[in-house]
């Protein structure tokens, strides 16, 4: 379970944010892969138009939240839900608001202050009767009350804002049985808006100069609960009914461990995203580079021009990857790479088993093995891009055949 705990969590998180790709996105996938090919039952139909529905997996919809305490194995994934690092603004508010698919909980997402209205700087009010001061204060309170009433009348049961909420506003929310959280991260609210199908409201002013709150800006979900995680509380939003979002809550002993887990998990999410979008994979552990190197060396011997030298050098350069892998694992790189090339050469001559083409390095045991059976694979699109970019970079450098040298006199000026 320990070996696959985070692997299963990462795959589930990426799959949960799947959405249909537009034609432009699908064309981009095919362009990067180098062809408009479709994969069906392990066979490639190159050059055929892609009639298969393509999907994309936006990693920005996956919210990774870090919480101190407990072990890494206590990390959990909230599918179709969202966790936000905030708590109720007042203890009198309910700890949970339950709903259903038919009667969802509505969430107001605000990017404005919910505090007592005060006149702007520079405004002067001349009064003759001191009693009018009380009327001005009362009107300021009424303006705030009217704003809160419009949000409540729109059907909001949960109010989240990036700014402050004072005691006057809290009083109205407590009386209405509404959960309110203040000082939320703006990025978190944007993600939550996407997950729940709502909008972040910056102002309540409309085109007529009045203040209104549009009910269409409210997000929907099935439940909102405050739960204690580590040293503090978090708001969990369950059953988000928007375009798809999920949250991974990471647990760890300290900040350094959580940061390291976050970086490693992000790398894993990127690999899974590439794999699912391209639907093709290749064997890892230096298998691709060794197979290409053997093939190019054999091809170079069929040429009778100086191009043979360039192809041989390219084939040798590819072996840097398996050599580096072996050196980093403190293994004998010369012996391992020799065994790897011999296995691929045997397969390409038509000898031996079909599984020889999947031969890669086993850096734990210090030998070679069938990496497809061992599960050591990587996205084909990443391999294609790295080879293409490295080749283009080398060509660009080799094209530079002139240089400009400054003389000492010119440099002095």
């Amino acid at each position: 379970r320990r070996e696959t705990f985070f692997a299963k969590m990462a795959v589930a998180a990426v799959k949960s944010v799947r959405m249909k790709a537009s034609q432009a996105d699908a064309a981009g996938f095919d362009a990067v892969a180098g062809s408009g090919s479709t994969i069906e039952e392990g066979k490639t139909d190159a050059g055929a138009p892609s009639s298969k529905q393509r999907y994309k997996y936006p990693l920005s919809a996956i919210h990774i939240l870090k919480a101190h305490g407990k072990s890494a194995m206590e990390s959990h994934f909230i599918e179709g839900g969202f966790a936000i690092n905030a708590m109720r603004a007042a203890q009198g508010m309910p700890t949970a608001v339950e709903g259903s698919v038919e009667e969802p909980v509505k969430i107001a997402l605000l990017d404005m202050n919910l505090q007592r209205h005060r006149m702007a700087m520079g405004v002067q009010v001349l009064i003759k009767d001191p009693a009018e001061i009380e009327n001005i204060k009362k009107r300021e309170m009424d303006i705030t009350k009217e704003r809160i009433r419009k949000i409540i009348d729109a059907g909001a049961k949960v109010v989240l804002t990036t700014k402050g909420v004072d005691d006057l506003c809290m009083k109205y929310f407590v009386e209405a049985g509404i959960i309110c959280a203040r000082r939320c991260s703006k990025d978190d609210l944007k993600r939550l808006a996407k997950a729940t199908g709502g909008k972040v409201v910056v102002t309540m002013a409309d085109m007529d100069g009045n203040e209104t709150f549009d009910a269409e800006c409210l997000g929907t979900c099935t439940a909102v609960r405050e739960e204690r995680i580590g040293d503090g509380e978090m708001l969990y939003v369950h059953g988000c009914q928007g375009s798809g979002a999920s949250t991974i809550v990471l647990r760890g002993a300290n900040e350094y461990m959580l940061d390291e887990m976050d970086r490693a998990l992000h790398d894993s999410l990127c690999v899974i995203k590439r794999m699912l979008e391209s639907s093709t994979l290749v064997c890892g552990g230096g298998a691709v580079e060794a197979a290409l190197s053997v093939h190019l060396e054999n091809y170079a011997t069929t040429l009778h021009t100086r191009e043979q030298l360039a192809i041989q050098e390219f084939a040798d350069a590819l072996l840097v990857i398996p050599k580096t892998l072996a050196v980093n694992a403190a293994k004998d790189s010369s012996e391992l790479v020799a065994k790897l090339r011999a296995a691929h050469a045997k397969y390409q001559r038509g000898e031996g088993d079909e599984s020889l083409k999947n031969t890669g390095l086993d850096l734990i045991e210090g030998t070679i093995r069938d990496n497809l059976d061992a599960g050591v694979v990587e996205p084909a699109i990443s391999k294609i891009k790295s080879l293409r970019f490295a080749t283009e970079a080398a060509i660009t450098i080799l094209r530079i055949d002139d240089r400009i040298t400054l003389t000492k006199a010119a440099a002095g000026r």
Side-chain angles (χ1 to χ4, degrees):
R1 184 175 175 272
R2 287 178 174 273
E3 290 78 6
T4 60
F5 178 76
F6 283 100
K8 290 180 179 178
M9 184 187 296
V11 171
V14 177
K15 283 186 174 180
S16 68
V17 297
R18 185 179 78 165
M19 59 189 299
K20 290 184 178 180
S22 62
Q23 290 185 348
D25 293 327
F29 298 154
D30 292 335
V32 172
S35 67
S37 60
T38 58
I39 308 300
E40 187 174 336
E41 295 180 0
K43 296 181 180 179
T44 305
D45 183 16
S50 179
S51 58
K52 186 178 177 183
Q53 175 63 53
R54 303 296 288 268
Y55 295 93
K56 63 179 181 178
Y57 302 82
L59 296 185
S60 58
I62 301 174
H63 182 43
I64 298 177
L65 204 55
K66 295 177 281 190
H68 294 143
K70 295 193 176 181
S71 70
M73 299 300 290
E74 297 291 331
S75 302
H76 57 278
F77 166 60
I78 311 169
E79 185 172 2
F82 200 89
I84 188 166
N85 196 7
M87 57 184 292
R88 294 171 300 154
Q91 292 298 317
M93 295 176 181
T95 57
V97 178
E98 302 291 337
S100 63
V101 177
E102 292 77 17
E103 296 182 4
V105 176
K106 294 184 178 179
I107 305 173
L109 308 166
L110 310 177
D111 185 20
M112 59 185 185
N113 268 317
L114 288 179
Q115 294 176 331
R116 181 177 168 181
H117 181 79
R118 289 180 175 83
M119 289 192 182
M121 295 290 291
V123 176
Q124 291 185 344
V125 180
L126 301 177
I127 57 174
K128 295 180 181 178
D129 186 359
E132 292 296 322
I133 297 177
E134 291 300 321
N135 292 334
I136 292 173
K137 290 182 178 179
K138 187 173 182 299
R139 181 56 191 153
E140 287 178 347
M141 294 171 65
D142 288 343
I143 290 173
T144 304
K145 185 176 180 179
E146 288 170 7
R147 284 183 178 175
I148 302 298
R149 180 52 54 190
K150 285 170 184 172
I151 295 172
I152 295 172
D153 290 343
K157 291 292 183 184
V158 179
V159 178
L160 305 176
T161 179
T162 60
K163 304 291 177 62
V165 181
D166 64 4
D167 294 339
L168 179 65
C169 296
M170 266 187 248
K171 171 176 167 286
Y172 299 127
F173 286 133
V174 170
E175 290 174 353
I178 290 174
I179 295 178
C180 177
R182 55 188 170 183
R183 308 294 180 195
C184 301
S185 168
K186 193 171 183 179
D187 291 336
D188 289 350
L189 281 197
K190 286 180 179 178
R191 282 200 187 100
L192 184 57
K194 187 177 180 181
T196 58
K199 294 179 183 176
V200 179
V201 178
V202 180
T203 178
M204 293 175 67
D206 58 12
M207 299 297 290
D208 299 327
N210 302 318
E211 286 193 338
T212 57
F213 190 84
D214 191 356
E216 292 182 358
C217 296
L218 296 173
T220 55
C221 66
T222 57
V224 177
R225 305 185 189 99
E226 185 186 69
E227 298 181 17
R228 186 166 186 82
I229 301 293
D231 299 331
E233 285 82 17
M234 291 185 187
L235 286 177
Y236 278 64
V237 182
H238 298 278
C240 296
Q241 300 176 10
S243 58
S246 57
T247 303
I248 296 174
V249 180
L250 294 178
R251 307 303 305 274
N254 51 50
E255 194 70 34
Y256 302 108
M257 183 177 178
L258 288 171
D259 288 341
E260 200 62 37
M261 289 168 63
D262 186 12
R263 282 190 288 269
L265 184 61
H266 184 266
D267 292 344
S268 303
L269 295 175
C270 291
V271 171
I272 296 165
K273 166 187 163 73
R274 292 293 184 197
M275 178 62 241
L276 292 174
E277 286 180 350
S278 64
S279 299
T280 51
L281 55 82
V282 293
C283 296
V288 173
E289 288 81 9
L292 279 174
S293 176
V294 171
H295 174 73
L296 289 176
E297 281 193 353
N298 293 334
Y299 173 68
T301 58
T302 64
L303 301 178
H304 303 283
T305 61
R306 61 195 301 177
E307 292 177 358
Q308 183 182 118
L309 298 174
I311 294 173
Q312 285 177 340
E313 290 298 325
F314 192 97
D316 288 340
L318 288 170
L319 294 177
V320 169
I321 299 295
K323 285 179 181 177
T324 305
L325 289 173
V327 169
N328 287 345
K331 305 295 180 184
D332 187 349
S333 61
S334 301
E335 184 176 347
L336 277 179
V337 172
K339 289 180 180 178
L340 188 61
R341 294 183 72 239
H344 284 282
K346 188 175 181 181
Y347 170 75
Q348 292 181 22
R349 288 196 304 268
E351 305 171 6
D353 191 10
E354 182 77 12
S355 62
L356 284 176
K357 66 179 179 181
N358 303 324
T359 304
L361 298 177
D362 179 0
L363 298 175
I364 296 177
E365 301 295 333
T367 182
I368 60 174
R369 66 179 175 188
D370 185 342
N371 271 354
L372 188 61
D373 282 347
V376 181
V377 294
E378 52 187 314
I381 191 170
S382 299
K383 189 67 70 177
I384 292 168
K385 285 173 70 173
S386 61
L387 287 171
R388 183 181 295 170
F389 294 160
T391 305
E392 288 175 356
I395 291 171
T396 302
I397 293 170
L398 291 172
R399 278 179 177 162
I400 301 172
D401 55 358
D402 294 323
R403 65 179 179 177
I404 300 173
T405 304
L406 291 175
T407 61
K408 289 185 179 179
R413 282 194 224 112

